[in-house]
Amino acid sequence: MKIKQLSVFLENKPGSLSAPCRLLAKAGINIQTCSLADTREFGILRLVVEDTDKAKRLLQRNGFAVKVTEVIALEVADQPGGLAAILDALEGTGINVEYAYSLTGRTKSGHALLLFRFSDPNAALQVLKERNINTVGSEELTKRLKG
Amino acid sequence: MNMSKNREIPPLHPASTMDFLPPAQLRDVQFTRLKIMVQRAYDRVSLFRERMNERKLKPADLRSMDDIVKLPFTVKTDLRDTYPFGLCASPMSEIVRFHASSGTTGKPIVVAYTQEDLDDWTRAVLRSLAACGVHNGDIVQIAYGYGLFTGGLGLHYGAEALGASVIPISGGNTDRQIMLMKDFGVTVICCTPSYFLHLIDRAGEMGINMKELPLRIGVFGAEPWTEDMRERIEAGSDIKAYDIYGLSEIVGPGVAMECVHQAGPHIFEDLFFPEIIDPKTLEPLPDGEEGELVLTTLCKRAMPMIRYRTRDITSLEPTRCVCGRTLRRIRRIGRRSDDMLIIRGVNLFPSQIEAALLKVEGTLPHYQIIVDRQRDLDTLEVQVEVTADAFSDTVSAMEQMQKRLVHSIEGITGLRPAVKLVAPRTLQRSEGKAKRVIDKRIM
Ligand SMILES: [Zn+2]
């Protein structure tokens, strides 16, 4: 199961992070998770929201450069070796992890939720399925974050 | 409403017959008009008379069109020095309109028109629009600024005279522009090319595909632009983009205009006589050679301009256009002799930066050049607006794009810039005209 993620271009200057967040909050769009990748000069804000299309339109209408990409949410055992199992599965497949970040909080089962941006999401899904590594879909993600 | 694009080329407008005068006849018209205009300027404009006297020249010394090279040049500072009415050749009772350029510093440059001047200008714009296939069935949206700037009103009266349906929306208010474009079924847009790229962008964000609108012609001018930009515009909107040339000192838009063959603007030579000179030696150059464009108004009464140095660098095409017009064409103007920057001793034109940016996939030419001096060393920074197309969600892809931009600029200019990516629509724009250069150096 793939999850839609919004990326927003930000300039590295005071206030630039709060502007898109405030915009979404005003429109009642709930941010499920976010992460900021920044360099000295610019930043990329990555968001998972409940209504991706609505959020995208809203941000674009307000002049932001926005991109939708597909990420995969994986439940990783919060213990040594949890992440290694995933990376092992991808070894030699030519699929790269462009970046990954963890979702806030922890699920009841004591697992951590990680979001992965793979170079080829479809191929990655196939590999993960073969290795019986479970992915978490949007609905389930919403449920878990609320629960 | 029919939303498809009409590609038919209308029959020639009667006013366009002047575009096809046999060369010998055109020369006669030009010379007859030149003599009358020079006599009038000599009688009524003291600055011109003094300069003629310094050269021991009388209007009667003009024996043929070739003698135009004997006349003194007029430059921009002449207009400043005689602000506001010093170059007027008509009494206020005959002057019916003023326009003024937006000078960056101090007093503006003022131009005046009699009713006949306005009629000539209207006809030049009418012929411009007709040349690129606009006709009385078109709905024309004029997004140039109205007011002291000649862009809006110039296109306005020409389009009306052609019988087109005019929307005088003026500049700015982008969402409204797009709404009317769609709702009215606009077929022709007149604005700066950079503003139109912005309109394409914005329409996309609003969920409107410019390619599906009836819009078929763009009349673009008031700033230098490149062939790459034309390709971008046409690919992004499925219209034909035409270059209109003009400057308020001469009349405004409509000094020259491209025909449907898009082979460089034809100068309306029966009204505006072109010469190309070497900007250093001031010697005339033959057709085909690149130099500064010099224009003489052959009919203007309120404010005749004699051998006005435009600072625009171009050449006169030596060959006849396939459309059959006898009017000579200027090559697309990409640069001006006075917008050249000297950075660490290297000559740089903003158009070079634009060309370099357009070579990198996905970027749009919304940029600003910032020149500064730190510890006696010139610094060059190019700020580029990130667009949805160019934007990637990975830092490495963005940094690679930044590097490609640096390499592309260095390859074309020989200068290594700092490239800064900025958010969409953060760079200053005035009158829909992008402010391209900020030079912070104190010389
Ligand atoms: Zn032609």
Side-chain angles (χ1 to χ4, degrees):
Chain A
M1 293 283 272
K2 289 174 286 185
I3 289 172
K4 281 183 178 174
Q5 173 198 257
L6 277 178
S7 302
V8 185
F9 178 83
L10 298 178
E11 281 180 47
N12 204 346
K13 65 182 182 197
S16 67
L17 178 60
S18 59
C21 297
R22 215 180 307 127
L23 202 62
L24 293 173
K26 247 185 164 172
I29 297 170
N30 186 25
I31 299 173
Q32 296 184 317
T33 184
C34 75
S35 112
L36 178 69
D38 63 342
T39 70
R40 209 162 50 86
E41 293 180 355
F42 63 88
I44 301 170
L45 176 66
R46 297 166 186 146
L47 302 163
V48 176
V49 297
E50 268 172 47
D51 190 342
T52 312
D53 292 337
K54 188 179 167 194
K56 185 190 177 198
R57 277 198 306 273
L58 178 69
L59 289 165
Q60 277 186 333
R61 235 181 297 126
N62 284 277
F64 289 96
V66 186
K67 194 144 234 155
V68 177
T69 32
E70 288 175 329
V71 291
I72 293 171
L74 296 174
E75 216 170 15
V76 182
D78 202 7
Q79 62 191 46
L83 184 58
I86 292 164
L87 298 177
D88 283 351
L90 294 168
E91 177 102 19
T93 60
I95 303 164
N96 297 320
V97 177
E98 301 280 357
Y99 54 83
Y101 55 96
S102 71
L103 282 155
T104 40
R106 187 181 296 181
T107 56
K108 283 183 221 154
S109 54
H111 283 59
L113 270 177
L114 288 180
L115 280 185
F116 285 84
R117 161 77 154 92
F118 294 110
S119 54
D120 185 341
N122 290 326
L125 267 182
Q126 192 62 38
V127 170
L128 295 167
K129 204 173 163 191
E130 283 162 14
R131 296 292 186 104
N132 293 320
I133 298 174
N134 283 333
T135 60
V136 179
S138 321
E139 276 175 37
E140 212 182 328
L141 185 72
T142 309
K143 227 186 293 167
R144 291 197 193 193
L145 287 169
K146 279 184 179 158
Chain B
M1 184 171 294
N2 179 16
M3 295 299 269
S4 66
K5 291 180 197 281
N6 179 3
R7 301 291 185 194
E8 260 171 65
I9 294 172
L12 206 64
H13 190 280
S16 298
T17 46
M18 280 303 276
D19 299 3
F20 297 89
L21 277 190
Q25 209 179 325
L26 177 60
R27 281 257 145 169
D28 280 349
V29 170
Q30 287 169 330
F31 186 52
T32 308
R33 290 177 172 178
L34 179 76
K35 278 187 293 187
I36 295 168
M37 193 272 306
V38 166
Q39 184 66 56
R40 194 183 147 85
Y42 185 82
D43 294 342
R44 300 180 178 211
V45 183
S46 60
L47 181 80
F48 180 63
R49 186 169 51 247
E50 283 159 23
R51 286 187 183 162
M52 290 283 279
N53 290 342
E54 279 166 24
R55 293 169 179 234
K56 302 201 168 30
L57 259 181
K58 291 271 181 286
D61 295 334
L62 295 175
R63 304 261 176 241
S64 76
M65 209 57 213
D66 296 335
D67 288 338
I68 195 168
V69 300
K70 295 177 180 168
L71 297 174
F73 289 107
T74 308
V75 293
K76 201 167 204 160
T77 46
D78 293 334
L79 282 110
R80 286 226 170 84
D81 296 345
T82 57
Y83 172 88
F85 306 137
L87 294 181
C88 283
S90 295
M92 206 51 80
S93 59
E94 287 169 22
I95 289 171
V96 297
R97 171 115 51 96
F98 293 110
H99 278 286
S101 73
S102 53
T104 42
T105 48
K107 303 277 193 203
I109 279 168
V110 178
V111 285
Y113 304 77
T114 66
Q115 187 55 53
E116 286 167 294
D117 292 339
L118 289 182
D119 294 345
D120 284 339
W121 183 20
T122 294
R123 220 157 12 249
V125 176
L126 187 163
R127 287 160 68 187
S128 299
L129 294 170
C132 70
V134 181
H135 57 79
N136 59 7
D138 276 308
I139 301 175
V140 181
Q141 183 157 329
I142 296 168
Y144 284 114
Y146 279 64
L148 284 176
F149 176 53
T150 49
L153 287 170
L155 262 308
H156 179 101
Y157 284 104
E160 269 191 7
L162 184 61
S165 316
V166 174
I167 307 174
I169 192 166
S170 192
N173 207 339
T174 304
D175 289 9
R176 194 181 184 78
Q177 301 264 4
I178 293 163
M179 185 184 80
L180 294 193
M181 219 180 263
K182 180 168 171 278
D183 295 349
F184 286 25
V186 168
T187 53
V188 179
I189 178 102
C190 308
C191 62
T192 59
S194 60
Y195 187 63
F196 187 69
L197 280 170
H198 175 58
L199 284 173
I200 297 177
D201 260 14
R202 184 68 191 139
E205 289 168 12
M206 291 164 70
I208 294 166
N209 185 352
M210 207 67 103
K211 291 184 188 171
E212 289 163 4
L213 298 184
L215 191 71
R216 62 190 183 94
I217 288 175
V219 177
F220 301 124
E223 67 185 15
W225 53 307
T226 57
E227 209 51 44
D228 284 340
M229 217 158 145
R230 164 140 58 200
E231 282 167 26
R232 288 248 174 157
I233 286 173
E234 294 191 341
S237 62
D238 201 16
I239 66 165
K240 287 273 175 204
Y242 297 101
D243 191 6
I244 189 165
Y245 174 75
L247 59 169
S248 55
E249 297 93 312
I250 296 302
V251 77
V255 172
M257 175 67 191
E258 280 187 328
C259 68
V260 290
H261 299 284
Q262 298 178 309
H266 288 276
I267 297 196
F268 295 104
E269 283 193 67
D270 51 309
L271 297 169
F272 317 106
F273 187 80
E275 297 171 77
I276 299 290
I277 62 160
D278 179 325
K280 290 204 182 72
T281 65
L282 306 184
E283 287 303 315
L285 294 171
D287 285 4
E289 274 188 45
E290 186 182 87
E292 183 180 329
L293 178 65
V294 170
L295 290 167
T296 299
T297 61
L298 296 174
C299 290
K300 266 237 257 30
R301 293 153 194 90
M303 218 170 191
M305 278 293 136
I306 293 156
R307 302 193 83 201
Y308 183 74
R309 292 186 57 187
T310 65
R311 304 288 168 178
D312 288 321
I313 302 294
T314 182
S315 60
L316 286 165
E317 290 291 340
T319 56
R320 181 79 59 85
C321 181
V322 287
C323 71
R325 280 179 174 76
T326 47
L327 306 171
R328 280 176 290 176
R329 287 166 294 148
I330 45 174
R331 222 201 30 228
R332 166 186 293 283
I333 289 165
R335 58 201 178 94
R336 292 170 52 78
S337 64
D338 60 357
D339 70 3
M340 188 179 82
L341 290 160
I342 301 175
I343 297 165
R344 288 172 234 155
V346 177
N347 295 350
L348 176 86
F349 290 96
S351 58
Q352 292 177 297
I353 299 284
E354 185 175 308
L357 297 181
L358 284 163
K359 281 192 192 308
V360 178
E361 201 68 26
T363 54
L364 280 172
H366 293 310
Y367 64 93
Q368 202 159 53
I369 299 165
I370 296 162
V371 188
D372 204 349
R373 182 164 286 174
Q374 281 164 8
R375 284 187 234 107
D376 294 328
L377 197 68
D378 293 337
T379 60
L380 170 65
E381 179 177 287
V382 180
Q383 298 195 343
V384 186
E385 284 185 8
V386 171
T387 62
D389 283 343
F391 177 48
S392 159
D393 63 314
T394 70
V395 171
S396 61
M398 294 300 281
E399 285 179 340
Q400 268 165 28
M401 184 178 76
Q402 217 170 355
K403 269 187 207 134
R404 282 201 302 275
L405 291 170
V406 171
H407 283 151
S408 183
I409 294 169
E410 194 178 13
I412 286 181
T413 66
L415 288 162
R416 195 176 175 80
V419 168
K420 187 171 185 230
L421 301 175
V422 299
R425 271 175 253 145
T426 46
L427 299 178
Q428 267 175 276
R429 288 178 179 79
S430 60
E431 292 236 338
K433 224 178 195 181
K435 190 166 166 47
R436 297 298 194 199
V437 180
I438 295 177
D439 196 338
K440 296 179 177 170
R441 295 175 295 186
I442 301 154
M443 298 293 188

